[in-house]
């Protein structure tokens, strides 16, 4: 039950209780006032007018007394009932009026709080930490709450901005020595006088270096993907998938993996470069975690207000209880943590954060024949150029 409803019910309850007590008091007072009083109904005489008076024990006295008793009986019966009925109707009307006034008053008092709530909801949905409530009302509890929330948003914005800058700077600083190492090792391996041992050592170092580069790229993509996409531009998911599949064809052929593509139009909106990374990670994951002469199926399609990307592959059976863990950073199936040719362990983590940054979802389920089926849903958009 909402605060507004509770406040209205409290107002109505207070009026109902106080009005009920007042009505009970009036009812009891009316009954008490109509009780028999000897001084009223058995006086020493009845004065009809200024010149006619009837004294006790006269016939006309008894007639007058009997008549007054009849009138009193009628009033004694009808008056309390009238007070009760009219009072009950008035009490119900007052209660309904109090409920309406309480409802309107609560709405007026909660209007600034709704503004705070709407701003918080927009920030939560969009991830735009630059938005502020900027409440300019009187200095009271609501303004203190709004100002505190604005301060919190400012600190969060500075913290996230600092985090992004740190990740970007750290990635740049880490890439530089790795690039130098790769160049030096590559030069050493290609020297005419390089021995076989030097060449084998150089190839091993190049593999380790490549894995570290992929790890840094993955960390940077993970940090970027965790930010909500604000600049949404329309594109077709099928075009992105087709481009990624064309690039992955050589690796698939080298690993003897057959790729089947069914790419229907799937218009969406967002950051196409990030979505390309999402598709690339899924396709590479499906190729590398496969078996010789295995297969990969890539499908794009539109469904009502969503578009889907489905990537399925053959491979080793995947236990259902491990499905959720594969989306955690640095988690791999089947205890494979050393094979650098299979990636850094961030691929599906990046897929999830990019999908969530676009307002989408990722669902994985094991195939009965082995391998995985991963479905990515993103919000649909109008056809590009329509």
């Amino acid at each position: 039950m909402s605060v507004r409803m509770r406040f209205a019910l409290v107002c109505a309850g207070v009026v109902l209780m106080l009005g009920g007590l007042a009505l009970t008091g009036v009812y009891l007072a009316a009954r008490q006032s109509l009780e028999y009083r000897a001084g009223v109904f058995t006086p020493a005489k009845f004065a009809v007018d200024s010149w006619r008076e009837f004294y006790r024990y006269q016939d006309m006295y008894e007639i007058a007394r009997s008549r007054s008793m009849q009138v009193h009986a009628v009033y004694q019966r009808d008056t309390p009932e009238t007070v009760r009925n009219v009072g009950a109707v008035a009490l119900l009307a007052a209660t309904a009026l109090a409920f309406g006034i309480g409802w309107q008053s609560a709405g007026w008092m909660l209007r600034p709080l709704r503004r705070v709530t709407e701003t918080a909801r927009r920030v939560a949905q969009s991830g735009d930490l630059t938005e502020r409530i900027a409440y300019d009302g009187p200095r009271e509890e609501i303004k203190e709450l709004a100002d505190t929330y604005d301060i919190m948003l400012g600190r969060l914005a500075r913290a996230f901005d600092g985090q992004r800058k740190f990740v970007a700077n750290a990635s740049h600083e880490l890439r530089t020595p790795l690039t130098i190492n790769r160049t030096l090792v590559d030069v050493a391996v290609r020297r005419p006088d390089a021995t076989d041992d030097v060449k084998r050592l150089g190839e091993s170092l190049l593999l380790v270096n490549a894995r570290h580069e992929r790890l840094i790229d993955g960390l940077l993509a993970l940090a970027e993907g965790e930010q909500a996409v604000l600049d949404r531009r329309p594109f077709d998911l099928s075009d992105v998938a087709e481009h990624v599949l064309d690039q992955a064809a050589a690796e698939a052929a080298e690993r003897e993996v057959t790729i089947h593509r069914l790419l229907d139009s799937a218009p969406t909106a967002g950051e196409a470069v990030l979505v390309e990374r999402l598709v690339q990670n899924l396709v590479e994951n499906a190729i590398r975690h496969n078996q010789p002469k295995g297969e990969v199926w890539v499908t794009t399609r539109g469904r009502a207000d969503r578009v889907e990307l489905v990537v399925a592959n053959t491979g080793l059976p995947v236990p259902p209880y491990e499905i959720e863990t594969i989306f955690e950073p640095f988690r791999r199936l089947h205890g494979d943590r050393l094979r650098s040719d299979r990636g850094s362990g961030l691929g599906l983590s990046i897929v999830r954060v990019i999908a969530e940054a676009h307002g989408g979802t990722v669902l994985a389920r094991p195939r009965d024949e082995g391998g995985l089926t991963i479905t990515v849903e993103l919000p649909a958009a109008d056809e590009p150029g329509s």
Side-chain angles (χ1 to χ4, degrees), residues 17 20 38 49 51 54 57 60-62 75 89 117 130 145 153 175 203 221 229 255 283 285 334 339 378:
M17 182 179 64
D49 47 39
W51 56 275
F54 306 115
Y57 307 119
M60 295 303 296
Y61 178 92
E62 294 299 328
Y75 275 98
V89 173
T117 303
T130 61
L145 174 63
L153 284 178
R175 278 198 186 103
E203 291 174 355
V229 176
R255 295 175 181 267
V283 172
N285 188 74
H334 312 299
R339 295 279 300 279
L378 299 175

PDB file of all heavy atoms in Angstrom, residues 17 20 38 49 51 54 57 60-62 75 89 117 130 145 153 175 203 221 229 255 283 285 334 339 378:
ATOM      1  N   MET A  17     -13.459   8.000  13.618  1.00  0.00           N
ATOM      2  CA  MET A  17     -13.421   7.739  15.060  1.00  0.00           C
ATOM      3  C   MET A  17     -13.959   8.921  15.854  1.00  0.00           C
ATOM      4  O   MET A  17     -14.828   8.753  16.733  1.00  0.00           O
ATOM      5  CB  MET A  17     -11.994   7.436  15.486  1.00  0.00           C
ATOM      6  CG  MET A  17     -11.843   7.094  16.965  1.00  0.00           C
ATOM      7  SD  MET A  17     -10.137   6.726  17.398  1.00  0.00           S
ATOM      8  CE  MET A  17      -9.365   8.325  17.080  1.00  0.00           C
ATOM      9  N   GLY A  20     -17.629   9.366  15.152  1.00  0.00           N
ATOM     10  CA  GLY A  20     -18.405   8.327  15.835  1.00  0.00           C
ATOM     11  C   GLY A  20     -18.579   8.633  17.307  1.00  0.00           C
ATOM     12  O   GLY A  20     -19.673   8.432  17.872  1.00  0.00           O
ATOM     13  N   ALA A  38     -41.049  14.206  36.202  1.00  0.00           N
ATOM     14  CA  ALA A  38     -42.337  14.425  36.896  1.00  0.00           C
ATOM     15  C   ALA A  38     -42.738  15.895  36.890  1.00  0.00           C
ATOM     16  O   ALA A  38     -43.920  16.241  36.753  1.00  0.00           O
ATOM     17  CB  ALA A  38     -42.247  13.919  38.334  1.00  0.00           C
ATOM     18  N   ASP A  49     -53.940  28.867  28.277  1.00  0.00           N
ATOM     19  CA  ASP A  49     -53.650  30.238  27.868  1.00  0.00           C
ATOM     20  C   ASP A  49     -53.761  31.096  29.109  1.00  0.00           C
ATOM     21  O   ASP A  49     -53.796  30.585  30.236  1.00  0.00           O
ATOM     22  CB  ASP A  49     -54.586  30.711  26.737  1.00  0.00           C
ATOM     23  CG  ASP A  49     -56.041  30.368  27.030  1.00  0.00           C
ATOM     24  OD1 ASP A  49     -56.429  30.486  28.214  1.00  0.00           O
ATOM     25  OD2 ASP A  49     -56.762  29.957  26.101  1.00  0.00           O
ATOM     26  N   TRP A  51     -56.116  32.674  30.436  1.00  0.00           N
ATOM     27  CA  TRP A  51     -57.353  32.693  31.214  1.00  0.00           C
ATOM     28  C   TRP A  51     -57.914  31.305  31.455  1.00  0.00           C
ATOM     29  O   TRP A  51     -58.941  31.161  32.124  1.00  0.00           O
ATOM     30  CB  TRP A  51     -58.410  33.562  30.517  1.00  0.00           C
ATOM     31  CG  TRP A  51     -58.703  33.141  29.087  1.00  0.00           C
ATOM     32  CD1 TRP A  51     -58.032  33.495  27.981  1.00  0.00           C
ATOM     33  CD2 TRP A  51     -59.751  32.274  28.672  1.00  0.00           C
ATOM     34  NE1 TRP A  51     -58.561  32.940  26.875  1.00  0.00           N
ATOM     35  CE2 TRP A  51     -59.663  32.170  27.276  1.00  0.00           C
ATOM     36  CE3 TRP A  51     -60.798  31.601  29.345  1.00  0.00           C
ATOM     37  CZ2 TRP A  51     -60.550  31.399  26.537  1.00  0.00           C
ATOM     38  CZ3 TRP A  51     -61.673  30.866  28.586  1.00  0.00           C
ATOM     39  CH2 TRP A  51     -61.533  30.737  27.186  1.00  0.00           C
ATOM     40  N   PHE A  54     -55.971  24.314  34.230  1.00  0.00           N
ATOM     41  CA  PHE A  54     -56.576  23.071  34.755  1.00  0.00           C
ATOM     42  C   PHE A  54     -55.676  22.555  35.866  1.00  0.00           C
ATOM     43  O   PHE A  54     -54.475  22.364  35.674  1.00  0.00           O
ATOM     44  CB  PHE A  54     -56.694  22.008  33.641  1.00  0.00           C
ATOM     45  CG  PHE A  54     -57.433  22.509  32.423  1.00  0.00           C
ATOM     46  CD1 PHE A  54     -56.797  22.638  31.187  1.00  0.00           C
ATOM     47  CD2 PHE A  54     -58.780  22.842  32.517  1.00  0.00           C
ATOM     48  CE1 PHE A  54     -57.485  23.090  30.078  1.00  0.00           C
ATOM     49  CE2 PHE A  54     -59.457  23.287  31.388  1.00  0.00           C
ATOM     50  CZ  PHE A  54     -58.812  23.412  30.176  1.00  0.00           C
ATOM     51  N   TYR A  57     -56.273  16.646  39.359  1.00  0.00           N
ATOM     52  CA  TYR A  57     -57.481  15.901  39.694  1.00  0.00           C
ATOM     53  C   TYR A  57     -58.721  16.424  38.974  1.00  0.00           C
ATOM     54  O   TYR A  57     -59.812  15.906  39.179  1.00  0.00           O
ATOM     55  CB  TYR A  57     -57.750  15.884  41.217  1.00  0.00           C
ATOM     56  CG  TYR A  57     -56.537  15.388  42.002  1.00  0.00           C
ATOM     57  CD1 TYR A  57     -55.916  16.206  42.944  1.00  0.00           C
ATOM     58  CD2 TYR A  57     -56.036  14.096  41.781  1.00  0.00           C
ATOM     59  CE1 TYR A  57     -54.812  15.768  43.653  1.00  0.00           C
ATOM     60  CE2 TYR A  57     -54.927  13.663  42.495  1.00  0.00           C
ATOM     61  CZ  TYR A  57     -54.316  14.494  43.425  1.00  0.00           C
ATOM     62  OH  TYR A  57     -53.228  14.057  44.098  1.00  0.00           O
ATOM     63  N   MET A  60     -60.117  17.784  32.830  1.00  0.00           N
ATOM     64  CA  MET A  60     -59.332  18.369  31.750  1.00  0.00           C
ATOM     65  C   MET A  60     -57.831  18.269  32.026  1.00  0.00           C
ATOM     66  O   MET A  60     -57.025  18.168  31.100  1.00  0.00           O
ATOM     67  CB  MET A  60     -59.743  19.829  31.543  1.00  0.00           C
ATOM     68  CG  MET A  60     -61.180  20.010  31.054  1.00  0.00           C
ATOM     69  SD  MET A  60     -61.503  19.116  29.511  1.00  0.00           S
ATOM     70  CE  MET A  60     -60.407  19.958  28.411  1.00  0.00           C
ATOM     71  N   TYR A  61     -57.451  18.267  33.279  1.00  0.00           N
ATOM     72  CA  TYR A  61     -56.036  18.103  33.651  1.00  0.00           C
ATOM     73  C   TYR A  61     -55.526  16.744  33.200  1.00  0.00           C
ATOM     74  O   TYR A  61     -54.430  16.630  32.619  1.00  0.00           O
ATOM     75  CB  TYR A  61     -55.897  18.258  35.168  1.00  0.00           C
ATOM     76  CG  TYR A  61     -54.470  18.061  35.680  1.00  0.00           C
ATOM     77  CD1 TYR A  61     -53.598  19.126  35.822  1.00  0.00           C
ATOM     78  CD2 TYR A  61     -54.001  16.779  36.012  1.00  0.00           C
ATOM     79  CE1 TYR A  61     -52.302  18.933  36.286  1.00  0.00           C
ATOM     80  CE2 TYR A  61     -52.719  16.578  36.471  1.00  0.00           C
ATOM     81  CZ  TYR A  61     -51.876  17.659  36.615  1.00  0.00           C
ATOM     82  OH  TYR A  61     -50.594  17.465  37.069  1.00  0.00           O
ATOM     83  N   GLU A  62     -56.316  15.701  33.450  1.00  0.00           N
ATOM     84  CA  GLU A  62     -55.898  14.351  33.078  1.00  0.00           C
ATOM     85  C   GLU A  62     -55.848  14.189  31.564  1.00  0.00           C
ATOM     86  O   GLU A  62     -54.985  13.490  31.039  1.00  0.00           O
ATOM     87  CB  GLU A  62     -56.855  13.328  33.693  1.00  0.00           C
ATOM     88  CG  GLU A  62     -56.805  13.275  35.211  1.00  0.00           C
ATOM     89  CD  GLU A  62     -55.432  12.895  35.715  1.00  0.00           C
ATOM     90  OE1 GLU A  62     -54.718  12.114  35.012  1.00  0.00           O
ATOM     91  OE2 GLU A  62     -55.028  13.368  36.799  1.00  0.00           O
ATOM     92  N   TYR A  75     -41.893  11.393  20.533  1.00  0.00           N
ATOM     93  CA  TYR A  75     -40.576  12.025  20.471  1.00  0.00           C
ATOM     94  C   TYR A  75     -39.491  11.124  21.041  1.00  0.00           C
ATOM     95  O   TYR A  75     -38.374  11.052  20.522  1.00  0.00           O
ATOM     96  CB  TYR A  75     -40.602  13.362  21.232  1.00  0.00           C
ATOM     97  CG  TYR A  75     -41.084  14.515  20.395  1.00  0.00           C
ATOM     98  CD1 TYR A  75     -42.399  14.956  20.472  1.00  0.00           C
ATOM     99  CD2 TYR A  75     -40.219  15.177  19.520  1.00  0.00           C
ATOM    100  CE1 TYR A  75     -42.859  16.007  19.688  1.00  0.00           C
ATOM    101  CE2 TYR A  75     -40.666  16.233  18.744  1.00  0.00           C
ATOM    102  CZ  TYR A  75     -41.985  16.644  18.837  1.00  0.00           C
ATOM    103  OH  TYR A  75     -42.427  17.686  18.066  1.00  0.00           O
ATOM    104  N   VAL A  89     -25.302   9.101   8.340  1.00  0.00           N
ATOM    105  CA  VAL A  89     -25.101   9.565   6.969  1.00  0.00           C
ATOM    106  C   VAL A  89     -24.094  10.710   6.937  1.00  0.00           C
ATOM    107  O   VAL A  89     -23.178  10.745   6.090  1.00  0.00           O
ATOM    108  CB  VAL A  89     -26.441   9.994   6.346  1.00  0.00           C
ATOM    109  CG1 VAL A  89     -26.203  10.645   4.982  1.00  0.00           C
ATOM    110  CG2 VAL A  89     -27.373   8.799   6.206  1.00  0.00           C
ATOM    111  N   THR A 117      12.222  10.478  -7.003  1.00  0.00           N
ATOM    112  CA  THR A 117      12.126   9.084  -7.446  1.00  0.00           C
ATOM    113  C   THR A 117      12.265   8.975  -8.954  1.00  0.00           C
ATOM    114  O   THR A 117      12.961   8.080  -9.462  1.00  0.00           O
ATOM    115  CB  THR A 117      10.783   8.493  -7.000  1.00  0.00           C
ATOM    116  OG1 THR A 117      10.655   8.619  -5.574  1.00  0.00           O
ATOM    117  CG2 THR A 117      10.681   7.025  -7.372  1.00  0.00           C
ATOM    118  N   THR A 130      25.422  12.393 -14.801  1.00  0.00           N
ATOM    119  CA  THR A 130      25.505  13.851 -14.842  1.00  0.00           C
ATOM    120  C   THR A 130      24.164  14.511 -14.506  1.00  0.00           C
ATOM    121  O   THR A 130      24.130  15.712 -14.259  1.00  0.00           O
ATOM    122  CB  THR A 130      25.954  14.325 -16.232  1.00  0.00           C
ATOM    123  OG1 THR A 130      24.984  13.907 -17.215  1.00  0.00           O
ATOM    124  CG2 THR A 130      27.306  13.719 -16.591  1.00  0.00           C
ATOM    125  N   LEU A 145      16.907  15.663   1.365  1.00  0.00           N
ATOM    126  CA  LEU A 145      17.044  14.376   0.675  1.00  0.00           C
ATOM    127  C   LEU A 145      17.532  14.575  -0.758  1.00  0.00           C
ATOM    128  O   LEU A 145      18.437  13.865  -1.220  1.00  0.00           O
ATOM    129  CB  LEU A 145      15.704  13.644   0.676  1.00  0.00           C
ATOM    130  CG  LEU A 145      15.638  12.334  -0.124  1.00  0.00           C
ATOM    131  CD1 LEU A 145      16.598  11.303   0.460  1.00  0.00           C
ATOM    132  CD2 LEU A 145      14.215  11.794  -0.145  1.00  0.00           C
ATOM    133  N   LEU A 153      25.279  11.478  -6.344  1.00  0.00           N
ATOM    134  CA  LEU A 153      25.472  11.306  -7.784  1.00  0.00           C
ATOM    135  C   LEU A 153      26.783  11.949  -8.249  1.00  0.00           C
ATOM    136  O   LEU A 153      27.489  11.399  -9.089  1.00  0.00           O
ATOM    137  CB  LEU A 153      24.290  11.922  -8.544  1.00  0.00           C
ATOM    138  CG  LEU A 153      22.983  11.141  -8.541  1.00  0.00           C
ATOM    139  CD1 LEU A 153      21.911  11.911  -9.298  1.00  0.00           C
ATOM    140  CD2 LEU A 153      23.171   9.766  -9.163  1.00  0.00           C
ATOM    141  N   ARG A 175      50.107  -1.693 -22.450  1.00  0.00           N
ATOM    142  CA  ARG A 175      50.260  -2.070 -23.859  1.00  0.00           C
ATOM    143  C   ARG A 175      51.661  -1.719 -24.378  1.00  0.00           C
ATOM    144  O   ARG A 175      52.242  -2.451 -25.198  1.00  0.00           O
ATOM    145  CB  ARG A 175      49.215  -1.339 -24.703  1.00  0.00           C
ATOM    146  CG  ARG A 175      47.848  -1.986 -24.720  1.00  0.00           C
ATOM    147  CD  ARG A 175      47.068  -1.439 -25.896  1.00  0.00           C
ATOM    148  NE  ARG A 175      45.690  -1.908 -25.882  1.00  0.00           N
ATOM    149  CZ  ARG A 175      44.660  -1.173 -25.503  1.00  0.00           C
ATOM    150  NH1 ARG A 175      44.865   0.054 -25.077  1.00  0.00           N
ATOM    151  NH2 ARG A 175      43.437  -1.660 -25.536  1.00  0.00           N
ATOM    152  N   GLU A 203      58.769 -18.088 -29.919  1.00  0.00           N
ATOM    153  CA  GLU A 203      57.363 -18.406 -30.202  1.00  0.00           C
ATOM    154  C   GLU A 203      56.564 -18.547 -28.915  1.00  0.00           C
ATOM    155  O   GLU A 203      55.414 -18.086 -28.823  1.00  0.00           O
ATOM    156  CB  GLU A 203      57.290 -19.691 -31.031  1.00  0.00           C
ATOM    157  CG  GLU A 203      57.822 -19.524 -32.458  1.00  0.00           C
ATOM    158  CD  GLU A 203      57.865 -20.843 -33.198  1.00  0.00           C
ATOM    159  OE1 GLU A 203      57.580 -21.890 -32.567  1.00  0.00           O
ATOM    160  OE2 GLU A 203      58.199 -20.839 -34.404  1.00  0.00           O
ATOM    161  N   ALA A 221      37.709  -3.452 -22.501  1.00  0.00           N
ATOM    162  CA  ALA A 221      36.355  -3.618 -23.039  1.00  0.00           C
ATOM    163  C   ALA A 221      35.351  -3.870 -21.933  1.00  0.00           C
ATOM    164  O   ALA A 221      34.213  -3.399 -21.973  1.00  0.00           O
ATOM    165  CB  ALA A 221      36.327  -4.769 -24.045  1.00  0.00           C
ATOM    166  N   VAL A 229      25.125   2.787 -22.581  1.00  0.00           N
ATOM    167  CA  VAL A 229      25.318   3.442 -23.878  1.00  0.00           C
ATOM    168  C   VAL A 229      24.328   4.591 -23.999  1.00  0.00           C
ATOM    169  O   VAL A 229      23.108   4.391 -23.962  1.00  0.00           O
ATOM    170  CB  VAL A 229      25.123   2.430 -25.029  1.00  0.00           C
ATOM    171  CG1 VAL A 229      25.226   3.127 -26.371  1.00  0.00           C
ATOM    172  CG2 VAL A 229      26.155   1.315 -24.918  1.00  0.00           C
ATOM    173  N   ARG A 255      40.683 -24.495 -37.866  1.00  0.00           N
ATOM    174  CA  ARG A 255      40.287 -25.436 -36.821  1.00  0.00           C
ATOM    175  C   ARG A 255      39.283 -26.475 -37.322  1.00  0.00           C
ATOM    176  O   ARG A 255      38.747 -27.243 -36.528  1.00  0.00           O
ATOM    177  CB  ARG A 255      39.688 -24.667 -35.638  1.00  0.00           C
ATOM    178  CG  ARG A 255      40.687 -23.760 -34.932  1.00  0.00           C
ATOM    179  CD  ARG A 255      40.013 -22.941 -33.840  1.00  0.00           C
ATOM    180  NE  ARG A 255      40.946 -22.050 -33.177  1.00  0.00           N
ATOM    181  CZ  ARG A 255      41.628 -22.357 -32.064  1.00  0.00           C
ATOM    182  NH1 ARG A 255      41.471 -23.554 -31.516  1.00  0.00           N
ATOM    183  NH2 ARG A 255      42.452 -21.487 -31.530  1.00  0.00           N
ATOM    184  N   VAL A 283      31.343 -15.611 -31.289  1.00  0.00           N
ATOM    185  CA  VAL A 283      31.763 -16.447 -32.415  1.00  0.00           C
ATOM    186  C   VAL A 283      33.125 -17.084 -32.128  1.00  0.00           C
ATOM    187  O   VAL A 283      33.322 -18.293 -32.360  1.00  0.00           O
ATOM    188  CB  VAL A 283      31.800 -15.615 -33.716  1.00  0.00           C
ATOM    189  CG1 VAL A 283      32.427 -16.406 -34.851  1.00  0.00           C
ATOM    190  CG2 VAL A 283      30.390 -15.173 -34.091  1.00  0.00           C
ATOM    191  N   ASN A 285      34.432 -17.666 -29.228  1.00  0.00           N
ATOM    192  CA  ASN A 285      34.225 -18.650 -28.157  1.00  0.00           C
ATOM    193  C   ASN A 285      33.655 -19.947 -28.740  1.00  0.00           C
ATOM    194  O   ASN A 285      34.063 -21.055 -28.358  1.00  0.00           O
ATOM    195  CB  ASN A 285      33.267 -18.075 -27.117  1.00  0.00           C
ATOM    196  CG  ASN A 285      33.157 -18.955 -25.886  1.00  0.00           C
ATOM    197  OD1 ASN A 285      34.063 -19.000 -25.070  1.00  0.00           O
ATOM    198  ND2 ASN A 285      32.039 -19.662 -25.755  1.00  0.00           N
ATOM    199  N   HIS A 334      35.668 -26.738 -17.721  1.00  0.00           N
ATOM    200  CA  HIS A 334      36.537 -27.914 -17.769  1.00  0.00           C
ATOM    201  C   HIS A 334      37.936 -27.627 -17.239  1.00  0.00           C
ATOM    202  O   HIS A 334      38.893 -28.298 -17.610  1.00  0.00           O
ATOM    203  CB  HIS A 334      36.641 -28.464 -19.202  1.00  0.00           C
ATOM    204  CG  HIS A 334      35.315 -28.604 -19.873  1.00  0.00           C
ATOM    205  ND1 HIS A 334      34.320 -29.421 -19.396  1.00  0.00           N
ATOM    206  CD2 HIS A 334      34.805 -27.994 -20.980  1.00  0.00           C
ATOM    207  CE1 HIS A 334      33.260 -29.343 -20.188  1.00  0.00           C
ATOM    208  NE2 HIS A 334      33.525 -28.470 -21.151  1.00  0.00           N
ATOM    209  N   ARG A 339      45.439 -22.573 -21.445  1.00  0.00           N
ATOM    210  CA  ARG A 339      45.501 -22.488 -22.902  1.00  0.00           C
ATOM    211  C   ARG A 339      45.324 -21.041 -23.348  1.00  0.00           C
ATOM    212  O   ARG A 339      44.204 -20.519 -23.405  1.00  0.00           O
ATOM    213  CB  ARG A 339      44.419 -23.369 -23.520  1.00  0.00           C
ATOM    214  CG  ARG A 339      44.604 -24.842 -23.265  1.00  0.00           C
ATOM    215  CD  ARG A 339      45.629 -25.422 -24.242  1.00  0.00           C
ATOM    216  NE  ARG A 339      45.189 -25.246 -25.611  1.00  0.00           N
ATOM    217  CZ  ARG A 339      44.312 -26.038 -26.221  1.00  0.00           C
ATOM    218  NH1 ARG A 339      43.772 -27.057 -25.573  1.00  0.00           N
ATOM    219  NH2 ARG A 339      43.999 -25.828 -27.492  1.00  0.00           N
ATOM    220  N   LEU A 378      18.370  -7.868 -27.614  1.00  0.00           N
ATOM    221  CA  LEU A 378      18.553  -6.430 -27.544  1.00  0.00           C
ATOM    222  C   LEU A 378      17.264  -5.732 -27.936  1.00  0.00           C
ATOM    223  O   LEU A 378      16.447  -6.305 -28.680  1.00  0.00           O
ATOM    224  CB  LEU A 378      19.677  -5.978 -28.480  1.00  0.00           C
ATOM    225  CG  LEU A 378      21.073  -6.556 -28.212  1.00  0.00           C
ATOM    226  CD1 LEU A 378      22.035  -6.101 -29.301  1.00  0.00           C
ATOM    227  CD2 LEU A 378      21.583  -6.142 -26.847  1.00  0.00           C
TER     228      LEU A 378
END
